[in-house]
Amino acid sequence: MGDAIGTLILDLDGVVYLDGQGVPGAGETLERFTDSGWQVLYATNNSTKTGKTVAEHIRGRTGFRADPDDAITSAMTAARHVASTAEGTTRAMVVGGASISAELVDRGITVCDDDVDVVVVGLDLAITYERLDIAARRIREGASFVATNTDATYPTPSGLAPGAGTIVAAISTASGVEPVNCGKPTRAFGDMVAERIKGRHVVMVGDRPETDIALGKRYDWSTVLVLSGVTRAADDVPAVHRADMITASIADLDPATLLTDVGRR
């Protein structure tokens, strides 16, 4: 642990931005926390982004200069899982964005479509029936099945769009196999975040109770649910995923009072 006052862990989609639009006040909030001595980490189930693109998107949408090294994505956690369970040379088929392939290659995994040991599935905005078919066939032939995450949707300015979980579910149905999930709120994801924490107090901020808030509760971090993304009303949240604090958006968070607001001192 370092000497930061606290660590603020932020989901991205629906918390910091919505597609190409920043959440109003997000950039100013990030500035306030970093200027006040807080560490800020970005923890996203979106597997289409690398740490570099996360930083670029935050700056482009909010004006805040984020550090690529402060990002943890489900593409990273899935790649680490595959590498940690590999025996010898491993070949992986990827259904998802180029960032998944890049993370796998960085860990010595060969990315291809034939004679594969594992199929890794994430959000794929160009998915085709043929890719679904090939992925399911490879799994039925004996390849293991890894999901970057199982989020059914992700938030956009026009409403919810199909997420990686929609594609994962299709391949699971066709193959008859349930995947290993490496996204929030699993330990595969949470442990990678925990390794980066430098603050004495940790606050997880997200818009999806069953992933963001569940992850915070799993690690005994304080939790904040914002209503700017997937969840639009506090009454929609089941008691098991009730956050320590519920607020309209990230713009409401104040580094001077946050620990008191979430019941920590």
Side-chain angles (χ1 to χ4, degrees), residues 10-14 16-21 42-61 68 71-79 96-104 106 122-125 148-149 154-156 189:
L10 300 173
D11 179 46
L12 291 174
D13 295 287
V16 176
Y17 50 66
L18 288 165
D19 266 5
Q21 302 175 16
Y42 310 97
T44 177
N45 267 356
N46 191 329
S47 61
T48 66
K49 298 177 177 66
T50 62
K52 180 181 179 182
T53 54
V54 164
E56 290 171 349
H57 286 185
I58 292 172
R59 183 180 180 186
R61 290 155 174 74
I72 302 96
T73 75
S74 63
M76 296 177 187
T77 59
S99 59
I100 302 174
S101 297
E103 294 291 345
L104 289 166
D106 281 349
L123 181 61
D124 189 342
L125 300 181
T148 62
N149 71 93
Y154 70 93
T156 74
F189 195 103

Side-chain angles (χ1 to χ4, degrees), residues 6-99:
T7 296
L8 192 68
I9 305 171
L10 300 173
D11 179 46
L12 291 174
D13 295 287
V15 176
V16 176
Y17 50 66
L18 288 165
D19 266 5
Q21 302 175 16
V23 169
E28 293 83 355
T29 299
L30 296 176
E31 289 283 0
R32 287 199 305 270
F33 274 88
T34 54
D35 288 348
S36 298
W38 282 68
Q39 176 193 29
V40 179
L41 299 176
Y42 310 97
T44 177
N45 267 356
N46 191 329
S47 61
T48 66
K49 298 177 177 66
T50 62
K52 180 181 179 182
T53 54
V54 164
E56 290 171 349
H57 286 185
I58 292 172
R59 183 180 180 186
R61 290 155 174 74
T62 73
F64 179 78
R65 291 176 176 269
D67 187 334
D69 290 338
D70 291 333
I72 302 96
T73 75
S74 63
M76 296 177 187
T77 59
R80 184 162 85 164
H81 170 78
V82 172
S84 69
T85 56
E87 297 181 1
T89 302
T90 298
R91 295 162 62 90
M93 176 183 177
V94 172
V95 178
S99 59

Side-chain angles (χ1 to χ4, degrees), residues 87-200:
E87 297 181 1
T89 302
T90 298
R91 295 162 62 90
M93 176 183 177
V94 172
V95 178
S99 59
I100 302 174
S101 297
E103 294 291 345
L104 289 166
V105 170
D106 281 349
R107 290 182 177 272
I109 308 299
T110 299
V111 175
C112 56
D113 284 354
D114 297 315
D115 192 26
V116 299
D117 305 292
V118 58
V119 176
V120 183
V121 181
L123 181 61
D124 189 342
L125 300 181
I127 189 67
T128 64
Y129 182 86
E130 180 182 14
R131 293 298 289 170
L132 294 174
D133 180 26
I134 295 171
R137 288 175 184 270
R138 297 295 175 264
I139 294 168
R140 289 197 302 270
E141 290 166 359
S144 58
F145 183 11
V146 172
T148 62
N149 71 93
T150 56
D151 293 1
T153 60
Y154 70 93
T156 74
S158 59
L160 297 179
T166 303
I167 300 169
V168 170
I171 294 173
S172 179
T173 299
S175 66
V177 176
E178 290 292 324
V180 174
N181 179 17
C182 293
K184 293 177 286 186
T186 68
R187 289 204 174 275
F189 195 103
D191 286 352
M192 198 167 190
V193 176
E195 292 165 8
R196 309 278 188 93
I197 291 172
K198 297 179 180 179
R200 297 190 300 273

